[in-house]
Amino acid sequence: MRTASLVAIAGLAAFVSYCFNRGQGLRAVKHQVKQDLHRWEDEGGNVPAVATPSPTPASNLPGANTDLRH
C-alpha cells in the first residue's frame, strides 16, 4: 500500500513537472514570435519599396454617351 502511494505521488510529480516545462517552452516561443513581429513592424512592416498604384473600381453603370435603355 505504501509503495503504491509513493509511485502515484511520483507519477503526479512527473506529470506536473512535464506540464510546467511544456508551458515554459510555449511561453518562450510566444515571446520570440512577439519580438520578431515588433522588429518586423519597426523595420517598416509590409510597406512596399516603390509606390504602387491603387486599382480604381470599374463602374457597373453605363456611361452617359451610350444609348442603352432599361
Side-chain angles (χ1 to χ4, degrees), residues 19-42:
C19 291
F20 179 75
N21 287 334
R22 183 79 174 139
Q24 290 290 345
L26 291 176
R27 194 171 298 123
V29 168
K30 183 178 177 182
H31 182 70
Q32 181 65 37
V33 168
K34 282 186 175 183
Q35 282 183 335
D36 290 344
L37 179 62
H38 286 296
R39 184 174 58 245
W40 181 72
E41 288 175 342
D42 289 342

Side-chain angles (χ1 to χ4, degrees), residues 3-70:
T3 305
S5 63
L6 288 176
V7 170
I9 291 173
L12 181 62
F15 177 72
V16 168
S17 176
Y18 170 77
C19 291
F20 179 75
N21 287 334
R22 183 79 174 139
Q24 290 290 345
L26 291 176
R27 194 171 298 123
V29 168
K30 183 178 177 182
H31 182 70
Q32 181 65 37
V33 168
K34 282 186 175 183
Q35 282 183 335
D36 290 344
L37 179 62
H38 286 296
R39 184 174 58 245
W40 181 72
E41 288 175 342
D42 289 342
E43 291 173 355
N46 197 19
V47 179
V50 295
T52 55
S54 61
T56 56
S59 175
N60 291 335
L61 302 174
N65 298 348
T66 61
D67 292 333
L68 296 176
R69 304 265 188 235
H70 291 284

